[in-house]
Amino acid sequence: MEGMVEWLTGLPPVAVYLVIGLLAAVENVFPPFPADTAIALGAFLSHRGVTDARIVFAVTLVCNVGGAMGIYWLAARHSSTLFASGFAKRFLPEQGLAFVRTEYQRFGLLGLFIGRLLPGFRAVVAPFAGLIHLGPLRALVPILFASALWYGGIILGAAMLGEHWEEVLGWVKRFNTVAGIVMLVAIAIGALFWWRRRRRSTP
């Protein structure tokens, strides 16, 4: 990781922003990609004068939301082909879609906002919105606000920690761990409600 810090430090600022933007967009297509760490690194480099944390935030938000809306458009136009593909079966799991569908039915746009904040489910929100043909503006709003909150928190924390890169990595890891715990709790609550409803409807 220190090698990556040195590599990015040696790049001109424009190139650093291009790398950050690319990674933020790719996360929507390839969810396992560790974009959070790279974006935190970009904010961390503001302490060295390589980047500006505000520009890192703007680039990250525009590229991440832009990538999400691109996936939304593909799902809306080619949903049957997209979800029958091997890519969808691997990176857009059925349980993820089922969770987002449940939260959307329960909370509406707030459910999409919640889903966009949860690791493992974040990438499913945009294609789900396209799949159900939710209007582009109604899909954009929860995606935009959730991405702003998520990446804003990561970038702010990384920039404030300054030169303590190991602390930055630990902070990002804890950030994702807490979000993962919230996700598991939400799934458990949803499963409990589903089980109780099914039990009541069973004669």
PDB file of all heavy atoms in Angstrom, residues 101-141:
ATOM      1  N   ARG A 101     -35.521  -5.124  -2.759  1.00  0.00           N
ATOM      2  CA  ARG A 101     -36.949  -5.123  -3.102  1.00  0.00           C
ATOM      3  C   ARG A 101     -37.808  -5.025  -1.846  1.00  0.00           C
ATOM      4  O   ARG A 101     -38.774  -4.249  -1.794  1.00  0.00           O
ATOM      5  CB  ARG A 101     -37.293  -6.405  -3.866  1.00  0.00           C
ATOM      6  CG  ARG A 101     -38.748  -6.469  -4.329  1.00  0.00           C
ATOM      7  CD  ARG A 101     -39.048  -7.788  -5.016  1.00  0.00           C
ATOM      8  NE  ARG A 101     -38.277  -7.936  -6.232  1.00  0.00           N
ATOM      9  CZ  ARG A 101     -37.302  -8.839  -6.402  1.00  0.00           C
ATOM     10  NH1 ARG A 101     -36.972  -9.648  -5.401  1.00  0.00           N
ATOM     11  NH2 ARG A 101     -36.673  -8.930  -7.540  1.00  0.00           N
ATOM     12  N   THR A 102     -37.429  -5.781  -0.813  1.00  0.00           N
ATOM     13  CA  THR A 102     -38.180  -5.747   0.449  1.00  0.00           C
ATOM     14  C   THR A 102     -38.129  -4.370   1.092  1.00  0.00           C
ATOM     15  O   THR A 102     -39.145  -3.839   1.545  1.00  0.00           O
ATOM     16  CB  THR A 102     -37.622  -6.796   1.427  1.00  0.00           C
ATOM     17  OG1 THR A 102     -37.742  -8.096   0.842  1.00  0.00           O
ATOM     18  CG2 THR A 102     -38.376  -6.760   2.748  1.00  0.00           C
ATOM     19  N   GLU A 103     -36.919  -3.787   1.128  1.00  0.00           N
ATOM     20  CA  GLU A 103     -36.767  -2.471   1.738  1.00  0.00           C
ATOM     21  C   GLU A 103     -37.505  -1.401   0.944  1.00  0.00           C
ATOM     22  O   GLU A 103     -38.064  -0.466   1.520  1.00  0.00           O
ATOM     23  CB  GLU A 103     -35.273  -2.112   1.848  1.00  0.00           C
ATOM     24  CG  GLU A 103     -34.483  -3.013   2.780  1.00  0.00           C
ATOM     25  CD  GLU A 103     -35.104  -3.069   4.169  1.00  0.00           C
ATOM     26  OE1 GLU A 103     -35.228  -2.021   4.817  1.00  0.00           O
ATOM     27  OE2 GLU A 103     -35.485  -4.180   4.594  1.00  0.00           O
ATOM     28  N   TYR A 104     -37.515  -1.540  -0.373  1.00  0.00           N
ATOM     29  CA  TYR A 104     -38.228  -0.560  -1.201  1.00  0.00           C
ATOM     30  C   TYR A 104     -39.733  -0.664  -0.968  1.00  0.00           C
ATOM     31  O   TYR A 104     -40.431   0.352  -0.854  1.00  0.00           O
ATOM     32  CB  TYR A 104     -37.904  -0.777  -2.670  1.00  0.00           C
ATOM     33  CG  TYR A 104     -38.683   0.151  -3.579  1.00  0.00           C
ATOM     34  CD1 TYR A 104     -38.396   1.513  -3.620  1.00  0.00           C
ATOM     35  CD2 TYR A 104     -39.721  -0.329  -4.371  1.00  0.00           C
ATOM     36  CE1 TYR A 104     -39.111   2.370  -4.424  1.00  0.00           C
ATOM     37  CE2 TYR A 104     -40.446   0.521  -5.184  1.00  0.00           C
ATOM     38  CZ  TYR A 104     -40.138   1.865  -5.208  1.00  0.00           C
ATOM     39  OH  TYR A 104     -40.871   2.716  -6.010  1.00  0.00           O
ATOM     40  N   GLN A 105     -40.235  -1.890  -0.890  1.00  0.00           N
ATOM     41  CA  GLN A 105     -41.668  -2.076  -0.653  1.00  0.00           C
ATOM     42  C   GLN A 105     -42.070  -1.546   0.720  1.00  0.00           C
ATOM     43  O   GLN A 105     -43.185  -1.068   0.911  1.00  0.00           O
ATOM     44  CB  GLN A 105     -42.021  -3.561  -0.785  1.00  0.00           C
ATOM     45  CG  GLN A 105     -41.924  -4.081  -2.211  1.00  0.00           C
ATOM     46  CD  GLN A 105     -42.085  -5.585  -2.304  1.00  0.00           C
ATOM     47  OE1 GLN A 105     -42.008  -6.297  -1.303  1.00  0.00           O
ATOM     48  NE2 GLN A 105     -42.304  -6.082  -3.513  1.00  0.00           N
ATOM     49  N   ARG A 106     -41.145  -1.620   1.679  1.00  0.00           N
ATOM     50  CA  ARG A 106     -41.449  -1.189   3.041  1.00  0.00           C
ATOM     51  C   ARG A 106     -41.285   0.315   3.220  1.00  0.00           C
ATOM     52  O   ARG A 106     -42.101   0.970   3.843  1.00  0.00           O
ATOM     53  CB  ARG A 106     -40.547  -1.926   4.023  1.00  0.00           C
ATOM     54  CG  ARG A 106     -40.870  -1.660   5.489  1.00  0.00           C
ATOM     55  CD  ARG A 106     -39.931  -2.435   6.383  1.00  0.00           C
ATOM     56  NE  ARG A 106     -39.968  -3.855   6.078  1.00  0.00           N
ATOM     57  CZ  ARG A 106     -39.082  -4.744   6.512  1.00  0.00           C
ATOM     58  NH1 ARG A 106     -38.053  -4.350   7.240  1.00  0.00           N
ATOM     59  NH2 ARG A 106     -39.191  -6.019   6.217  1.00  0.00           N
ATOM     60  N   PHE A 107     -40.200   0.877   2.658  1.00  0.00           N
ATOM     61  CA  PHE A 107     -39.872   2.271   2.935  1.00  0.00           C
ATOM     62  C   PHE A 107     -39.863   3.182   1.706  1.00  0.00           C
ATOM     63  O   PHE A 107     -39.631   4.390   1.833  1.00  0.00           O
ATOM     64  CB  PHE A 107     -38.488   2.357   3.597  1.00  0.00           C
ATOM     65  CG  PHE A 107     -38.382   1.635   4.898  1.00  0.00           C
ATOM     66  CD1 PHE A 107     -37.613   0.494   5.019  1.00  0.00           C
ATOM     67  CD2 PHE A 107     -39.063   2.090   6.020  1.00  0.00           C
ATOM     68  CE1 PHE A 107     -37.505  -0.184   6.219  1.00  0.00           C
ATOM     69  CE2 PHE A 107     -38.964   1.427   7.228  1.00  0.00           C
ATOM     70  CZ  PHE A 107     -38.185   0.288   7.333  1.00  0.00           C
ATOM     71  N   GLY A 108     -40.058   2.629   0.515  1.00  0.00           N
ATOM     72  CA  GLY A 108     -40.027   3.461  -0.687  1.00  0.00           C
ATOM     73  C   GLY A 108     -38.607   3.920  -0.995  1.00  0.00           C
ATOM     74  O   GLY A 108     -37.651   3.152  -0.896  1.00  0.00           O
ATOM     75  N   LEU A 109     -38.463   5.196  -1.350  1.00  0.00           N
ATOM     76  CA  LEU A 109     -37.147   5.721  -1.708  1.00  0.00           C
ATOM     77  C   LEU A 109     -36.169   5.661  -0.537  1.00  0.00           C
ATOM     78  O   LEU A 109     -34.957   5.538  -0.745  1.00  0.00           O
ATOM     79  CB  LEU A 109     -37.275   7.166  -2.200  1.00  0.00           C
ATOM     80  CG  LEU A 109     -38.082   7.373  -3.492  1.00  0.00           C
ATOM     81  CD1 LEU A 109     -38.013   8.829  -3.920  1.00  0.00           C
ATOM     82  CD2 LEU A 109     -37.584   6.462  -4.601  1.00  0.00           C
ATOM     83  N   LEU A 110     -36.673   5.738   0.691  1.00  0.00           N
ATOM     84  CA  LEU A 110     -35.804   5.610   1.860  1.00  0.00           C
ATOM     85  C   LEU A 110     -35.150   4.229   1.885  1.00  0.00           C
ATOM     86  O   LEU A 110     -33.995   4.088   2.290  1.00  0.00           O
ATOM     87  CB  LEU A 110     -36.602   5.849   3.141  1.00  0.00           C
ATOM     88  CG  LEU A 110     -35.827   5.709   4.463  1.00  0.00           C
ATOM     89  CD1 LEU A 110     -34.685   6.715   4.513  1.00  0.00           C
ATOM     90  CD2 LEU A 110     -36.764   5.896   5.656  1.00  0.00           C
ATOM     91  N   GLY A 111     -35.883   3.216   1.429  1.00  0.00           N
ATOM     92  CA  GLY A 111     -35.319   1.869   1.368  1.00  0.00           C
ATOM     93  C   GLY A 111     -34.155   1.786   0.394  1.00  0.00           C
ATOM     94  O   GLY A 111     -33.159   1.115   0.658  1.00  0.00           O
ATOM     95  N   LEU A 112     -34.274   2.480  -0.750  1.00  0.00           N
ATOM     96  CA  LEU A 112     -33.168   2.524  -1.709  1.00  0.00           C
ATOM     97  C   LEU A 112     -31.971   3.264  -1.113  1.00  0.00           C
ATOM     98  O   LEU A 112     -30.822   2.879  -1.323  1.00  0.00           O
ATOM     99  CB  LEU A 112     -33.616   3.204  -3.002  1.00  0.00           C
ATOM    100  CG  LEU A 112     -34.722   2.511  -3.799  1.00  0.00           C
ATOM    101  CD1 LEU A 112     -34.964   3.252  -5.103  1.00  0.00           C
ATOM    102  CD2 LEU A 112     -34.380   1.054  -4.074  1.00  0.00           C
ATOM    103  N   PHE A 113     -32.259   4.328  -0.374  1.00  0.00           N
ATOM    104  CA  PHE A 113     -31.197   5.090   0.288  1.00  0.00           C
ATOM    105  C   PHE A 113     -30.443   4.199   1.278  1.00  0.00           C
ATOM    106  O   PHE A 113     -29.210   4.182   1.309  1.00  0.00           O
ATOM    107  CB  PHE A 113     -31.817   6.293   1.006  1.00  0.00           C
ATOM    108  CG  PHE A 113     -30.850   7.072   1.857  1.00  0.00           C
ATOM    109  CD1 PHE A 113     -30.006   8.016   1.292  1.00  0.00           C
ATOM    110  CD2 PHE A 113     -30.789   6.858   3.227  1.00  0.00           C
ATOM    111  CE1 PHE A 113     -29.112   8.735   2.078  1.00  0.00           C
ATOM    112  CE2 PHE A 113     -29.902   7.568   4.028  1.00  0.00           C
ATOM    113  CZ  PHE A 113     -29.062   8.513   3.444  1.00  0.00           C
ATOM    114  N   ILE A 114     -31.191   3.425   2.069  1.00  0.00           N
ATOM    115  CA  ILE A 114     -30.572   2.526   3.042  1.00  0.00           C
ATOM    116  C   ILE A 114     -29.722   1.472   2.333  1.00  0.00           C
ATOM    117  O   ILE A 114     -28.595   1.188   2.716  1.00  0.00           O
ATOM    118  CB  ILE A 114     -31.654   1.859   3.918  1.00  0.00           C
ATOM    119  CG1 ILE A 114     -32.356   2.907   4.791  1.00  0.00           C
ATOM    120  CG2 ILE A 114     -31.041   0.757   4.787  1.00  0.00           C
ATOM    121  CD1 ILE A 114     -33.569   2.385   5.521  1.00  0.00           C
ATOM    122  N   GLY A 115     -30.280   0.893   1.265  1.00  0.00           N
ATOM    123  CA  GLY A 115     -29.556  -0.126   0.516  1.00  0.00           C
ATOM    124  C   GLY A 115     -28.264   0.399  -0.071  1.00  0.00           C
ATOM    125  O   GLY A 115     -27.257  -0.312  -0.124  1.00  0.00           O
ATOM    126  N   ARG A 116     -28.280   1.658  -0.486  1.00  0.00           N
ATOM    127  CA  ARG A 116     -27.085   2.260  -1.100  1.00  0.00           C
ATOM    128  C   ARG A 116     -25.981   2.512  -0.074  1.00  0.00           C
ATOM    129  O   ARG A 116     -24.822   2.710  -0.456  1.00  0.00           O
ATOM    130  CB  ARG A 116     -27.488   3.570  -1.781  1.00  0.00           C
ATOM    131  CG  ARG A 116     -26.426   4.191  -2.654  1.00  0.00           C
ATOM    132  CD  ARG A 116     -26.141   3.403  -3.902  1.00  0.00           C
ATOM    133  NE  ARG A 116     -25.048   4.000  -4.666  1.00  0.00           N
ATOM    134  CZ  ARG A 116     -24.506   3.479  -5.742  1.00  0.00           C
ATOM    135  NH1 ARG A 116     -24.946   2.339  -6.209  1.00  0.00           N
ATOM    136  NH2 ARG A 116     -23.522   4.079  -6.365  1.00  0.00           N
ATOM    137  N   LEU A 117     -26.310   2.471   1.196  1.00  0.00           N
ATOM    138  CA  LEU A 117     -25.320   2.678   2.247  1.00  0.00           C
ATOM    139  C   LEU A 117     -24.694   1.380   2.743  1.00  0.00           C
ATOM    140  O   LEU A 117     -23.737   1.415   3.505  1.00  0.00           O
ATOM    141  CB  LEU A 117     -25.960   3.397   3.446  1.00  0.00           C
ATOM    142  CG  LEU A 117     -26.310   4.873   3.265  1.00  0.00           C
ATOM    143  CD1 LEU A 117     -27.065   5.383   4.486  1.00  0.00           C
ATOM    144  CD2 LEU A 117     -25.058   5.713   3.032  1.00  0.00           C
ATOM    145  N   LEU A 118     -25.221   0.236   2.290  1.00  0.00           N
ATOM    146  CA  LEU A 118     -24.781  -1.042   2.846  1.00  0.00           C
ATOM    147  C   LEU A 118     -23.821  -1.768   1.906  1.00  0.00           C
ATOM    148  O   LEU A 118     -24.157  -2.021   0.754  1.00  0.00           O
ATOM    149  CB  LEU A 118     -25.990  -1.943   3.122  1.00  0.00           C
ATOM    150  CG  LEU A 118     -27.011  -1.391   4.122  1.00  0.00           C
ATOM    151  CD1 LEU A 118     -28.187  -2.340   4.247  1.00  0.00           C
ATOM    152  CD2 LEU A 118     -26.361  -1.157   5.481  1.00  0.00           C
ATOM    153  N   PRO A 119     -22.616  -2.094   2.396  1.00  0.00           N
ATOM    154  CA  PRO A 119     -21.671  -2.871   1.580  1.00  0.00           C
ATOM    155  C   PRO A 119     -22.294  -4.196   1.153  1.00  0.00           C
ATOM    156  O   PRO A 119     -22.975  -4.851   1.932  1.00  0.00           O
ATOM    157  CB  PRO A 119     -20.491  -3.105   2.531  1.00  0.00           C
ATOM    158  CG  PRO A 119     -20.613  -2.041   3.571  1.00  0.00           C
ATOM    159  CD  PRO A 119     -22.080  -1.793   3.733  1.00  0.00           C
ATOM    160  N   GLY A 120     -22.069  -4.579  -0.077  1.00  0.00           N
ATOM    161  CA  GLY A 120     -22.635  -5.821  -0.565  1.00  0.00           C
ATOM    162  C   GLY A 120     -23.986  -5.634  -1.233  1.00  0.00           C
ATOM    163  O   GLY A 120     -24.386  -6.439  -2.080  1.00  0.00           O
ATOM    164  N   PHE A 121     -24.690  -4.588  -0.876  1.00  0.00           N
ATOM    165  CA  PHE A 121     -25.993  -4.301  -1.465  1.00  0.00           C
ATOM    166  C   PHE A 121     -25.977  -2.996  -2.261  1.00  0.00           C
ATOM    167  O   PHE A 121     -26.893  -2.724  -3.024  1.00  0.00           O
ATOM    168  CB  PHE A 121     -27.076  -4.216  -0.377  1.00  0.00           C
ATOM    169  CG  PHE A 121     -27.311  -5.521   0.323  1.00  0.00           C
ATOM    170  CD1 PHE A 121     -26.649  -5.812   1.503  1.00  0.00           C
ATOM    171  CD2 PHE A 121     -28.169  -6.457  -0.204  1.00  0.00           C
ATOM    172  CE1 PHE A 121     -26.852  -7.022   2.147  1.00  0.00           C
ATOM    173  CE2 PHE A 121     -28.376  -7.673   0.430  1.00  0.00           C
ATOM    174  CZ  PHE A 121     -27.715  -7.955   1.611  1.00  0.00           C
ATOM    175  N   ARG A 122     -24.941  -2.191  -2.046  1.00  0.00           N
ATOM    176  CA  ARG A 122     -24.852  -0.880  -2.672  1.00  0.00           C
ATOM    177  C   ARG A 122     -24.980  -0.965  -4.195  1.00  0.00           C
ATOM    178  O   ARG A 122     -25.679  -0.177  -4.818  1.00  0.00           O
ATOM    179  CB  ARG A 122     -23.517  -0.252  -2.283  1.00  0.00           C
ATOM    180  CG  ARG A 122     -23.459   1.241  -2.385  1.00  0.00           C
ATOM    181  CD  ARG A 122     -22.089   1.745  -2.023  1.00  0.00           C
ATOM    182  NE  ARG A 122     -21.539   1.052  -0.858  1.00  0.00           N
ATOM    183  CZ  ARG A 122     -20.266   1.037  -0.544  1.00  0.00           C
ATOM    184  NH1 ARG A 122     -19.393   1.650  -1.299  1.00  0.00           N
ATOM    185  NH2 ARG A 122     -19.842   0.416   0.535  1.00  0.00           N
ATOM    186  N   ALA A 123     -24.290  -1.937  -4.793  1.00  0.00           N
ATOM    187  CA  ALA A 123     -24.271  -2.045  -6.250  1.00  0.00           C
ATOM    188  C   ALA A 123     -25.596  -2.549  -6.819  1.00  0.00           C
ATOM    189  O   ALA A 123     -25.834  -2.438  -8.028  1.00  0.00           O
ATOM    190  CB  ALA A 123     -23.133  -2.967  -6.684  1.00  0.00           C
ATOM    191  N   VAL A 124     -26.452  -3.115  -5.980  1.00  0.00           N
ATOM    192  CA  VAL A 124     -27.713  -3.693  -6.455  1.00  0.00           C
ATOM    193  C   VAL A 124     -28.797  -2.633  -6.620  1.00  0.00           C
ATOM    194  O   VAL A 124     -29.741  -2.810  -7.399  1.00  0.00           O
ATOM    195  CB  VAL A 124     -28.186  -4.792  -5.473  1.00  0.00           C
ATOM    196  CG1 VAL A 124     -29.513  -5.382  -5.901  1.00  0.00           C
ATOM    197  CG2 VAL A 124     -27.135  -5.884  -5.379  1.00  0.00           C
ATOM    198  N   VAL A 125     -28.673  -1.512  -5.919  1.00  0.00           N
ATOM    199  CA  VAL A 125     -29.744  -0.503  -5.886  1.00  0.00           C
ATOM    200  C   VAL A 125     -30.039   0.048  -7.273  1.00  0.00           C
ATOM    201  O   VAL A 125     -31.205   0.124  -7.689  1.00  0.00           O
ATOM    202  CB  VAL A 125     -29.381   0.642  -4.912  1.00  0.00           C
ATOM    203  CG1 VAL A 125     -30.364   1.798  -5.050  1.00  0.00           C
ATOM    204  CG2 VAL A 125     -29.372   0.116  -3.484  1.00  0.00           C
ATOM    205  N   ALA A 126     -29.011   0.470  -8.001  1.00  0.00           N
ATOM    206  CA  ALA A 126     -29.236   1.087  -9.314  1.00  0.00           C
ATOM    207  C   ALA A 126     -29.881   0.128 -10.313  1.00  0.00           C
ATOM    208  O   ALA A 126     -30.879   0.494 -10.958  1.00  0.00           O
ATOM    209  CB  ALA A 126     -27.929   1.651  -9.856  1.00  0.00           C
ATOM    210  N   PRO A 127     -29.359  -1.103 -10.476  1.00  0.00           N
ATOM    211  CA  PRO A 127     -30.035  -2.015 -11.404  1.00  0.00           C
ATOM    212  C   PRO A 127     -31.441  -2.389 -10.959  1.00  0.00           C
ATOM    213  O   PRO A 127     -32.325  -2.585 -11.795  1.00  0.00           O
ATOM    214  CB  PRO A 127     -29.110  -3.242 -11.448  1.00  0.00           C
ATOM    215  CG  PRO A 127     -28.235  -3.129 -10.261  1.00  0.00           C
ATOM    216  CD  PRO A 127     -28.089  -1.674  -9.992  1.00  0.00           C
ATOM    217  N   PHE A 128     -31.661  -2.465  -9.646  1.00  0.00           N
ATOM    218  CA  PHE A 128     -33.017  -2.759  -9.162  1.00  0.00           C
ATOM    219  C   PHE A 128     -33.972  -1.634  -9.558  1.00  0.00           C
ATOM    220  O   PHE A 128     -35.093  -1.887 -10.011  1.00  0.00           O
ATOM    221  CB  PHE A 128     -33.021  -2.925  -7.647  1.00  0.00           C
ATOM    222  CG  PHE A 128     -34.409  -3.024  -7.065  1.00  0.00           C
ATOM    223  CD1 PHE A 128     -35.116  -4.210  -7.119  1.00  0.00           C
ATOM    224  CD2 PHE A 128     -35.009  -1.916  -6.482  1.00  0.00           C
ATOM    225  CE1 PHE A 128     -36.408  -4.295  -6.605  1.00  0.00           C
ATOM    226  CE2 PHE A 128     -36.293  -1.993  -5.962  1.00  0.00           C
ATOM    227  CZ  PHE A 128     -37.001  -3.187  -6.027  1.00  0.00           C
ATOM    228  N   ALA A 129     -33.533  -0.383  -9.379  1.00  0.00           N
ATOM    229  CA  ALA A 129     -34.377   0.756  -9.758  1.00  0.00           C
ATOM    230  C   ALA A 129     -34.700   0.723 -11.240  1.00  0.00           C
ATOM    231  O   ALA A 129     -35.818   1.048 -11.661  1.00  0.00           O
ATOM    232  CB  ALA A 129     -33.674   2.063  -9.386  1.00  0.00           C
ATOM    233  N   GLY A 130     -33.714   0.324 -12.060  1.00  0.00           N
ATOM    234  CA  GLY A 130     -33.980   0.202 -13.493  1.00  0.00           C
ATOM    235  C   GLY A 130     -34.899  -0.955 -13.801  1.00  0.00           C
ATOM    236  O   GLY A 130     -35.771  -0.869 -14.675  1.00  0.00           O
ATOM    237  N   LEU A 131     -34.726  -2.049 -13.080  1.00  0.00           N
ATOM    238  CA  LEU A 131     -35.533  -3.252 -13.304  1.00  0.00           C
ATOM    239  C   LEU A 131     -37.016  -2.989 -13.074  1.00  0.00           C
ATOM    240  O   LEU A 131     -37.870  -3.490 -13.810  1.00  0.00           O
ATOM    241  CB  LEU A 131     -35.041  -4.364 -12.373  1.00  0.00           C
ATOM    242  CG  LEU A 131     -35.774  -5.702 -12.450  1.00  0.00           C
ATOM    243  CD1 LEU A 131     -35.575  -6.347 -13.812  1.00  0.00           C
ATOM    244  CD2 LEU A 131     -35.291  -6.641 -11.351  1.00  0.00           C
ATOM    245  N   ILE A 132     -37.332  -2.199 -12.046  1.00  0.00           N
ATOM    246  CA  ILE A 132     -38.744  -1.911 -11.751  1.00  0.00           C
ATOM    247  C   ILE A 132     -39.212  -0.657 -12.476  1.00  0.00           C
ATOM    248  O   ILE A 132     -40.320  -0.177 -12.255  1.00  0.00           O
ATOM    249  CB  ILE A 132     -38.982  -1.762 -10.233  1.00  0.00           C
ATOM    250  CG1 ILE A 132     -38.245  -0.540  -9.674  1.00  0.00           C
ATOM    251  CG2 ILE A 132     -38.589  -3.025  -9.497  1.00  0.00           C
ATOM    252  CD1 ILE A 132     -38.573  -0.234  -8.225  1.00  0.00           C
ATOM    253  N   HIS A 133     -38.333  -0.110 -13.341  1.00  0.00           N
ATOM    254  CA  HIS A 133     -38.650   1.070 -14.153  1.00  0.00           C
ATOM    255  C   HIS A 133     -39.050   2.270 -13.301  1.00  0.00           C
ATOM    256  O   HIS A 133     -39.987   2.998 -13.611  1.00  0.00           O
ATOM    257  CB  HIS A 133     -39.756   0.736 -15.164  1.00  0.00           C
ATOM    258  CG  HIS A 133     -39.358  -0.361 -16.115  1.00  0.00           C
ATOM    259  ND1 HIS A 133     -38.414  -0.178 -17.110  1.00  0.00           N
ATOM    260  CD2 HIS A 133     -39.743  -1.664 -16.196  1.00  0.00           C
ATOM    261  CE1 HIS A 133     -38.250  -1.312 -17.780  1.00  0.00           C
ATOM    262  NE2 HIS A 133     -39.038  -2.232 -17.234  1.00  0.00           N
ATOM    263  N   LEU A 134     -38.305   2.441 -12.214  1.00  0.00           N
ATOM    264  CA  LEU A 134     -38.467   3.646 -11.403  1.00  0.00           C
ATOM    265  C   LEU A 134     -37.956   4.829 -12.216  1.00  0.00           C
ATOM    266  O   LEU A 134     -36.952   4.712 -12.907  1.00  0.00           O
ATOM    267  CB  LEU A 134     -37.670   3.504 -10.112  1.00  0.00           C
ATOM    268  CG  LEU A 134     -37.874   4.556  -9.023  1.00  0.00           C
ATOM    269  CD1 LEU A 134     -39.275   4.443  -8.437  1.00  0.00           C
ATOM    270  CD2 LEU A 134     -36.837   4.368  -7.913  1.00  0.00           C
ATOM    271  N   GLY A 135     -38.647   5.959 -12.142  1.00  0.00           N
ATOM    272  CA  GLY A 135     -38.236   7.133 -12.913  1.00  0.00           C
ATOM    273  C   GLY A 135     -36.807   7.537 -12.626  1.00  0.00           C
ATOM    274  O   GLY A 135     -36.323   7.360 -11.497  1.00  0.00           O
ATOM    275  N   PRO A 136     -36.075   8.066 -13.607  1.00  0.00           N
ATOM    276  CA  PRO A 136     -34.668   8.397 -13.394  1.00  0.00           C
ATOM    277  C   PRO A 136     -34.426   9.375 -12.253  1.00  0.00           C
ATOM    278  O   PRO A 136     -33.451   9.238 -11.496  1.00  0.00           O
ATOM    279  CB  PRO A 136     -34.223   8.994 -14.736  1.00  0.00           C
ATOM    280  CG  PRO A 136     -35.425   9.102 -15.586  1.00  0.00           C
ATOM    281  CD  PRO A 136     -36.516   8.291 -14.970  1.00  0.00           C
ATOM    282  N   LEU A 137     -35.298  10.365 -12.086  1.00  0.00           N
ATOM    283  CA  LEU A 137     -35.128  11.331 -11.009  1.00  0.00           C
ATOM    284  C   LEU A 137     -35.346  10.674  -9.653  1.00  0.00           C
ATOM    285  O   LEU A 137     -34.594  10.920  -8.703  1.00  0.00           O
ATOM    286  CB  LEU A 137     -36.083  12.513 -11.181  1.00  0.00           C
ATOM    287  CG  LEU A 137     -35.943  13.639 -10.133  1.00  0.00           C
ATOM    288  CD1 LEU A 137     -34.530  14.226 -10.177  1.00  0.00           C
ATOM    289  CD2 LEU A 137     -36.981  14.732 -10.379  1.00  0.00           C
ATOM    290  N   ARG A 138     -36.353   9.804  -9.561  1.00  0.00           N
ATOM    291  CA  ARG A 138     -36.631   9.119  -8.298  1.00  0.00           C
ATOM    292  C   ARG A 138     -35.520   8.131  -7.950  1.00  0.00           C
ATOM    293  O   ARG A 138     -35.273   7.872  -6.774  1.00  0.00           O
ATOM    294  CB  ARG A 138     -37.980   8.384  -8.392  1.00  0.00           C
ATOM    295  CG  ARG A 138     -39.169   9.323  -8.384  1.00  0.00           C
ATOM    296  CD  ARG A 138     -40.472   8.572  -8.663  1.00  0.00           C
ATOM    297  NE  ARG A 138     -40.753   7.564  -7.652  1.00  0.00           N
ATOM    298  CZ  ARG A 138     -41.309   7.807  -6.472  1.00  0.00           C
ATOM    299  NH1 ARG A 138     -41.636   9.051  -6.153  1.00  0.00           N
ATOM    300  NH2 ARG A 138     -41.559   6.837  -5.631  1.00  0.00           N
ATOM    301  N   ALA A 139     -34.857   7.591  -8.956  1.00  0.00           N
ATOM    302  CA  ALA A 139     -33.719   6.715  -8.694  1.00  0.00           C
ATOM    303  C   ALA A 139     -32.488   7.530  -8.311  1.00  0.00           C
ATOM    304  O   ALA A 139     -31.714   7.146  -7.437  1.00  0.00           O
ATOM    305  CB  ALA A 139     -33.416   5.862  -9.933  1.00  0.00           C
ATOM    306  N   LEU A 140     -32.321   8.672  -8.973  1.00  0.00           N
ATOM    307  CA  LEU A 140     -31.135   9.496  -8.757  1.00  0.00           C
ATOM    308  C   LEU A 140     -31.060  10.055  -7.340  1.00  0.00           C
ATOM    309  O   LEU A 140     -29.975  10.073  -6.730  1.00  0.00           O
ATOM    310  CB  LEU A 140     -31.118  10.643  -9.769  1.00  0.00           C
ATOM    311  CG  LEU A 140     -30.012  11.698  -9.601  1.00  0.00           C
ATOM    312  CD1 LEU A 140     -28.642  11.078  -9.802  1.00  0.00           C
ATOM    313  CD2 LEU A 140     -30.238  12.860 -10.560  1.00  0.00           C
ATOM    314  N   VAL A 141     -32.189  10.506  -6.800  1.00  0.00           N
ATOM    315  CA  VAL A 141     -32.186  11.196  -5.505  1.00  0.00           C
ATOM    316  C   VAL A 141     -31.602  10.339  -4.375  1.00  0.00           C
ATOM    317  O   VAL A 141     -30.665  10.758  -3.697  1.00  0.00           O
ATOM    318  CB  VAL A 141     -33.594  11.714  -5.150  1.00  0.00           C
ATOM    319  CG1 VAL A 141     -33.645  12.203  -3.707  1.00  0.00           C
ATOM    320  CG2 VAL A 141     -33.994  12.840  -6.093  1.00  0.00           C
TER     321      VAL A 141
END
